Structure formats: C-alpha cells, structure tokens
Amino acid sequence: MKTEAKPKLARSASRVYDRVQQMAITYAFKPGERINEVELAAKLNVSRTPLRESLNRLVAEGFLVVKPNLGFFRRSLDPEEVYHLYDLRCSLEIQSSKLAAERATDEALESLIQMVSADEEPDNELELLRQDEAFHIKIAELTGNPELVNMLRGVNNRIHFARWIDRRARRNSREEHIAIARAIASRDPDEAGRLMDSHIRRRYQQIVEIIKIGYGEIFAGANEISSVSAHDTKTAAE
C-alpha cells in the first residue's frame, strides 16, 4: 500500500499544478490580485499542501510573486515585461529554425511540411493559437535540443494571454508558416531564420495596445480562455 501511495500523491500534485498553472496562464487570477489559498483550495477541492507547492512552482516560473507576510499575487501584465519575453521568444525561435534546418532528418522535415500543408486556419481563436504554438514547438523539437524546447514552452506560457489577444487581431499566418517550413526543409538556415524573425517581430510595436485590450477583457470578464479554464477545472474536480 505504501508503495502505491507515493505515485498516487505525485499524480495528485501534478494535477493540482496543471490546473493552477492554467488559471495563471489565462489570467483567471487578475493582474496584481492576491491569491486566497483557503478559497482556492476549496474551489479546487484540494488540500493546502499540494496547492502551496504549485503556487511556489508558479513563482519560480514567473507567473506569481510572493510578498512577505501577504502571500501570493498574480504578476502584473506589464507591457515592458511582455516585450522582453517576445524578444527572448524571437531569439529562441530564430535559433530553432536554423538548427532544425541543419540537424533534422529528412523524415522529420517531410513531417513538418505535411503538418503545415494539412493545417487549415479554424474559426475558433483558441484553437488557432493552439495550432500556432504547436507549429513553433515542432520546429524546436526538430533541433534535438530538449532544453531549447523547455525554454520556449516556458516563454510561451508566460505570454500565452498576450499571444491569444494578438492572434485575434491578425489571422492568415498559414502562408508564413508554410514559407518557414519550406526554408527549413530546403536546409537553408539563413532564410529560415530571416523568415522566422519577420514572422514574430512584426507585432512588437503593438504590444502595448495588445496589453490594453487584454486588461479590458480580463476585468470585463470576457476572457474566453479563462472561461475554458474554469470549465476544465470544474470537470477535473468532478
């Protein structure tokens, strides 16, 4: 029994973390909001210990901050911080595209081309974002460098909400994805890097506007992703 208990506890802690992280990513916790651990534990129907562990992990990942004698708070939605994260993302993505062109197997490159050729832009903005993120993670995976993949996932999580707002403001990225994939498949790292740089950087000047829109939606309660997160959390609790 004791041997079986540890894996069960580990799975339980992992589920708590996944649920709380999703709430943080989608701004179910509003910017600057203090997180009431007692209320949150009751809402998620979990104990305080795995919840506290999850909150501490989110501090380390940059989603939350801890204030002495006050507890955990959702980090503010700061345009300058988002700008820096976009800048880091751009560097990671450019490097990924170059390394993928140099290192990926022919079979993996063919899989990338098939992926972008099969993708059709859905009407649902949330699915559109998921599709976009999957494409970029796929390229990072083709580098064969798991640390690069993990770094990119971490950055994507921290700018997930801003990227969602951005995706709604612009569509039709499919052709850009195809061009990037073809440059990688042609094993042209310079062209792949150039296309990726252009693909990401063209929205830098609008980040402040994106954040303003995001604040409006968060505090108006119109955040689609938060609604989805709340549904998923309720389902998981049941």
Side-chain angles (χ1 to χ4, degrees):
M1 292 293 293
K2 290 183 179 180
T3 304
E4 295 177 356
K6 288 184 178 180
K8 183 178 289 187
L9 288 172
R11 288 195 297 271
S12 175
S14 178
R15 284 196 295 269
V16 172
Y17 167 75
D18 289 342
R19 289 154 64 186
V20 178
Q21 185 199 47
Q22 182 67 9
M23 295 177 74
I25 289 172
T26 61
Y27 280 91
F29 309 126
K30 293 178 173 59
E33 176 184 5
R34 180 179 178 275
I35 296 172
N36 187 313
E37 295 180 56
V38 175
E39 291 182 1
L40 183 58
K43 179 180 179 180
L44 300 180
N45 192 26
V46 299
S47 65
R48 292 283 298 280
T49 298
L51 177 60
R52 173 63 67 88
E53 291 175 358
S54 298
L55 294 176
N56 278 315
R57 283 183 65 180
L58 294 176
V59 170
E61 292 172 359
F63 292 103
L64 307 179
V65 295
V66 176
K67 297 183 180 180
N69 302 318
L70 294 176
F72 296 94
F73 290 77
R74 180 61 173 95
R75 184 184 291 273
S76 297
L77 190 56
D78 180 10
E80 183 176 4
E81 181 182 8
V82 174
Y83 184 93
H84 291 321
L85 287 169
Y86 261 76
D87 198 36
L88 175 57
R89 178 197 166 204
C90 191
S91 297
L92 293 173
E93 298 263 24
I94 291 171
Q95 183 69 1
S96 292
S97 62
K98 289 182 175 182
L99 291 177
E102 296 170 350
R103 298 178 177 178
T105 64
D106 292 341
E107 292 77 11
L109 293 176
E110 178 62 27
S111 175
L112 178 65
I113 291 294
Q114 291 177 356
M115 177 184 182
V116 295
S117 299
D119 281 346
E120 294 183 2
E121 291 200 341
D123 294 331
N124 181 278
E125 286 83 8
L126 184 55
E127 183 57 35
L128 189 67
L129 176 58
R130 287 171 177 159
Q131 189 181 93
D132 181 75
E133 290 182 340
F135 168 74
H136 290 280
I137 290 297
K138 174 70 172 178
I139 292 174
E141 290 173 343
L142 294 183
T143 69
N145 186 332
E147 295 302 325
L148 196 158
V149 175
N150 289 336
M151 286 184 67
L152 183 58
R153 287 188 189 278
V155 171
N156 279 341
N157 283 341
R158 289 182 63 187
I159 60 173
H160 187 87
F161 182 74
R163 287 192 66 193
W164 178 66
I165 296 295
D166 188 21
R167 291 296 302 173
R168 295 195 314 160
R170 64 179 177 90
R171 297 177 69 88
N172 303 317
S173 289
R174 182 170 179 269
E175 294 305 317
E176 293 181 13
H177 285 181
I178 291 174
I180 292 168
R182 285 176 176 169
I184 294 173
S186 298
R187 299 197 180 277
D188 187 342
D190 291 336
E191 179 65 4
R194 185 190 68 79
L195 290 172
M196 184 65 80
D197 181 53
S198 175
H199 177 63
I200 297 174
R201 288 190 185 276
R202 63 195 179 94
R203 295 291 287 179
Y204 268 37
Q205 284 70 33
Q206 285 141 330
I207 286 177
V208 172
E209 186 60 31
I210 290 169
I211 298 303
K212 287 180 181 178
I213 294 171
Y215 260 111
E217 298 214 1
I218 289 169
F219 288 101
N223 183 356
E224 176 187 342
I225 297 186
S226 289
S227 298
V228 172
S229 175
H231 173 74
D232 290 345
T233 298
K234 180 180 178 182
T235 302
E238 293 171 348

